[in-house]
Amino acid sequence: MIAKVLSSDLLKVRKKMIWFLIFLGPFGVIALQAVNFGVRYDYLTNYYAADLWGGFLENIQQLATPTLVLGIAIITSMIANIEHQVNSWKQLLALPVSRITVFSSKFYLSAMLLFMSCLLLAVGSIILGFILKFGMSIPYIKLLKVSFYPFFAALPILTLQIWLSIVFKNQAIPLTIGILGGVLSMYSIVLPDWFFWKWPMLINDWSKVEYTVLAGILVGMVIFVLSLIDFGRRDVN
């Protein structure tokens, strides 16, 4: 049943601006780094001479992470707003489909689209690295960490944002929360470790990024379950 509902949701976003944003996020990050390294090529290559790919990927991560957090707020809002715009939540929930399936489909669709954006970031990073003549010694493990670890660490944000976007018809509320969290994430080094908008930056007091990723997955699952319970009981207009 979830596959059919997910297919239906995919059809709903087929001609929406969502697809443009999925490509715009990683493209914008890669384009900005292309300008950054293009303008300061000699300085940056000398600075990262010991590990060109490593330094390059660190620069990618600095831009990609806040972009991901902001993207989560925008994408989840757009997906939920498809139903809000035509006041179709009551009709949708009147179908012989459980509320768990409806909510899960919105979450899975958001996660799939954002994961695709992370994949495009990884591919774009490799292409730009080749253009910048960093050689063939690509640190694939670090590339995967930079591209996908923030996504898994951001699962609590993703779950919270899709819940807020569904619950509130006025999308200014979830968007404000999401954008504010994204802005604060850029100053995450001074924020406490429990503030999960900090987690996609992969910074913690233990200097172990895996702890942050694991916390993101576990807390994301908890918020997902709580959101399912609330959505199952809530009267959505």
Side-chain angles (χ1 to χ4, degrees):
M1 182 60 72
I2 184 66
K4 292 182 179 179
V5 177
L6 186 56
S7 297
S8 175
D9 283 336
L10 277 169
L11 287 174
K12 291 177 183 178
V13 303
R14 184 177 57 180
K15 296 182 180 179
K16 301 292 183 180
M17 285 288 291
I18 292 175
W19 292 104
F20 173 72
L21 294 176
I22 292 301
F23 285 90
L24 179 63
F27 177 80
V29 171
I30 297 301
L32 286 172
Q33 284 304 326
V35 173
N36 180 33
F37 275 82
V39 172
R40 303 191 299 161
Y41 187 82
D42 291 337
Y43 169 76
L44 289 174
T45 51
N46 287 330
Y47 186 80
Y48 296 116
D51 185 9
L52 284 175
W53 275 102
F56 168 65
L57 291 175
E58 287 176 6
N59 279 266
I60 290 288
Q61 183 180 359
Q62 290 174 5
L63 283 178
T65 302
T67 301
L68 172 65
V69 176
L70 294 174
I72 287 173
I74 296 170
I75 297 301
T76 53
S77 176
M78 293 180 70
I79 289 174
N81 202 42
I82 293 172
E83 313 295 347
H84 289 307
Q85 284 180 328
V86 294
N87 295 313
S88 62
W89 279 110
K90 285 190 178 294
Q91 294 88 332
L92 179 61
L93 297 176
L95 296 173
V97 179
S98 71
R99 286 184 171 223
I100 291 177
T101 300
V102 172
F103 185 90
S104 298
S105 177
K106 302 296 184 186
F107 172 80
Y108 293 149
L109 176 60
S110 303
M112 286 169 52
L113 293 173
L114 290 162
F115 190 86
M116 184 186 303
S117 192
C118 293
L119 180 61
L120 290 172
L121 177 67
V123 174
S125 298
I126 294 174
I127 293 173
L128 180 57
F130 285 156
I131 293 173
L132 294 173
K133 300 178 181 179
F134 290 161
M136 300 296 294
S137 301
I138 304 171
Y140 287 105
I141 299 299
K142 184 164 187 174
L143 174 68
L144 293 175
K145 288 181 178 180
V146 167
S147 302
F148 296 103
Y149 269 18
F151 168 79
F152 291 110
L155 286 178
I157 304 172
L158 174 58
T159 310
L160 178 63
Q161 288 294 148
I162 194 66
W163 176 77
L164 290 170
S165 299
I166 290 174
V167 167
F168 293 102
K169 186 173 182 178
N170 182 359
Q171 292 301 295
I173 297 173
L175 281 173
T176 299
I177 294 173
I179 292 172
L180 181 60
V183 172
L184 288 175
S185 71
M186 292 187 286
Y187 302 94
S188 58
I189 193 169
V190 299
L191 297 173
D193 283 349
W194 55 262
F195 187 73
F196 57 67
W197 271 276
K198 173 183 180 177
W199 296 355
M201 297 298 290
L202 306 179
I203 299 173
N204 58 50
D205 291 340
W206 300 281
S207 299
K208 292 285 187 179
V209 297
E210 288 77 14
Y211 291 170
T212 302
V213 174
L214 181 59
I217 294 172
L218 294 177
V219 175
M221 291 173 61
V222 172
I223 298 177
F224 181 71
V225 171
L226 294 175
S227 300
L228 285 177
I229 294 171
D230 177 78
F231 185 69
R233 298 174 177 176
R234 182 178 292 270
D235 181 22
V236 181
N237 297 319

